Amino acid sequence: DCTTCAANEYTDGTCKPCPGDSVNDVGFFESCLCPMGYTGPGDSDCTICGAGDYKSTTGNAACSPCEAGTAHAVAGRTTAFEGCLADSYSLAQATECTACAETFHADAGSTQASDCQCNAGYTVVGAACAACGGGSYKVASGNGACTECNAGDFLD
């Protein structure tokens, strides 16, 4: 006579509770699985995915690192991460987005420090962006130099 084990139990002839944080459905299972947000072999304790990682499926697969341009500081994450806001960036497996320096700009979801660029009308001076000087201009964002106006030209 077959016995159906309850949810979160497995059988090796008799129904036993799944160890630690492992789970399974109601039925006749010979092992348990790690739930979303956890990793491990399932037949022993599962380990919570660390900050900067996530796992969106039940099973014994490894946790996945968050992608560059995203971040999350909470362990046990079960879904992909939110993207970094404008004027910040993150490397892969980051737990937080890093703000660009005060006078720099980066698009939302930026993935590296070099994505932080001076706005149009500004150029890099040391570790900051400074407005183009009188008689010069810059029409695009980036860290390039300002362009001097031609003799006889002026800026509005």
Side-chain angles (χ1 to χ4, degrees), residues 8-144:
N8 302 321
E9 290 184 346
Y10 73 101
T11 183
D12 62 358
T14 60
C15 293
K16 297 179 180 180
C18 289
D21 295 309
S22 61
V23 297
N24 66 24
D25 294 325
V26 174
F28 189 75
F29 295 97
E30 295 178 353
S31 65
C32 298
L33 302 171
C34 292
M36 295 187 302
Y38 288 77
T39 188
D43 55 0
S44 63
D45 286 340
C46 298
T47 304
I48 193 167
C49 296
D53 290 332
Y54 75 101
K55 186 172 144 240
S56 60
T57 60
T58 298
N60 302 332
C63 299
S64 300
C66 74
E67 298 176 7
T70 66
H72 205 280
V74 177
R77 181 90 179 171
T78 60
T79 58
F81 301 86
E82 295 87 21
C84 293
L85 299 175
D87 301 331
S88 65
Y89 68 94
S90 77
L91 305 176
Q93 207 167 6
T95 57
E96 61 184 34
C97 297
T98 302
C100 295
E102 185 176 334
T103 55
F104 288 81
H105 167 76
D107 293 331
S110 291
T111 61
Q112 53 194 352
S114 61
D115 290 340
C116 297
Q117 303 278 314
C118 293
N119 287 321
Y122 292 81
T123 189
V124 173
V125 176
C129 296
C132 294
S136 65
Y137 66 97
K138 191 171 119 208
V139 295
S141 63
N143 293 336

